[in-house]
Amino acid sequence: MKVSDIYTPATVHIPTSCNLQDAAIQMRDQHVGALIATSGGAINRIAGIVTDRDIVLQAVAFGAALNDMLVADVMTPHVVVIGTDADLTDAMQTMSSHGVRRLAVTNAEQDIVGVLSLDDVIEAIGRDLVLLSSIVRCEQNRESSGSVQAPLHL
């Protein structure tokens, strides 16, 4: 399975100059747990990534006022990327080796075209496991009903 089969296309981004309250509201409204942090005005250069966990661990846990802290204060400045043509196994290894739950997905031109989350991976593997389970069940039903094919003779 390829990253291109399961990643979430498009990204939700936020300027690094926005406060954490704005980031939390955008995460809620967009139903995402991470935002690509951008800087540079109209150019929108990628500056990092901010996750709901970043906000909790670096602001909320310390009682910080979310209106007084900026995305730039808590974001992770390096975004780990994976290409759309990469195998899912490579993506999981990248997540594991970098200790992250989300990867920015890039196309051949190195533009970020979406995000691959651990949730995306679990959902895809779950679908495959359901299919495997169905195969086993069908085979068991076929055998128990006596509709087993006769062996082939060479």
Side-chain angles (χ1 to χ4, degrees):
M1 188 177 320
K2 297 285 188 184
V3 168
S4 59
D5 298 328
I6 66 166
Y7 81 99
T8 302
T11 59
V12 182
H13 61 88
I14 191 164
T16 57
S17 58
C18 285
N19 66 45
L20 296 183
Q21 182 72 36
D22 294 335
I25 290 169
Q26 189 166 349
M27 286 179 187
R28 180 199 63 202
D29 292 349
Q30 299 293 323
H31 307 287
V32 297
L35 303 169
I36 300 294
T38 58
S39 64
I43 300 171
N44 277 339
R45 295 188 193 278
I46 296 167
I49 187 168
V50 61
T51 68
D52 48 5
R53 186 168 171 82
D54 293 331
I55 294 171
V56 169
L57 294 180
Q58 297 180 52
V60 175
F62 293 104
L66 297 183
N67 288 327
D68 295 336
M69 291 186 73
L70 301 179
V71 168
D73 297 332
V74 301
M75 72 177 192
T76 301
H78 304 290
V79 179
V80 183
V81 300
I82 191 89
T84 55
D85 59 342
D87 288 324
L88 183 56
T89 303
D90 294 333
M92 290 187 297
Q93 181 61 45
T94 300
M95 286 179 178
S96 178
S97 65
H98 289 277
V100 297
R101 298 170 57 103
R102 295 170 184 91
L103 301 173
V105 178
T106 57
N107 61 17
E109 293 77 34
Q110 299 303 308
D111 300 317
I112 292 183
V113 294
V115 174
L116 177 69
S117 70
L118 185 58
D119 290 352
D120 296 329
V121 173
I122 291 169
E123 184 178 334
I125 291 173
R127 283 192 307 263
D128 282 353
L129 290 175
V130 167
L131 181 58
L132 285 172
S133 173
S134 174
I135 293 167
V136 170
R137 256 192 327 278
C138 288
E139 178 66 15
Q140 289 170 339
N141 290 340
R142 191 171 63 81
E143 289 174 357
S144 67
S145 70
S147 62
V148 178
Q149 290 180 337
L152 296 176
H153 299 285
L154 299 174

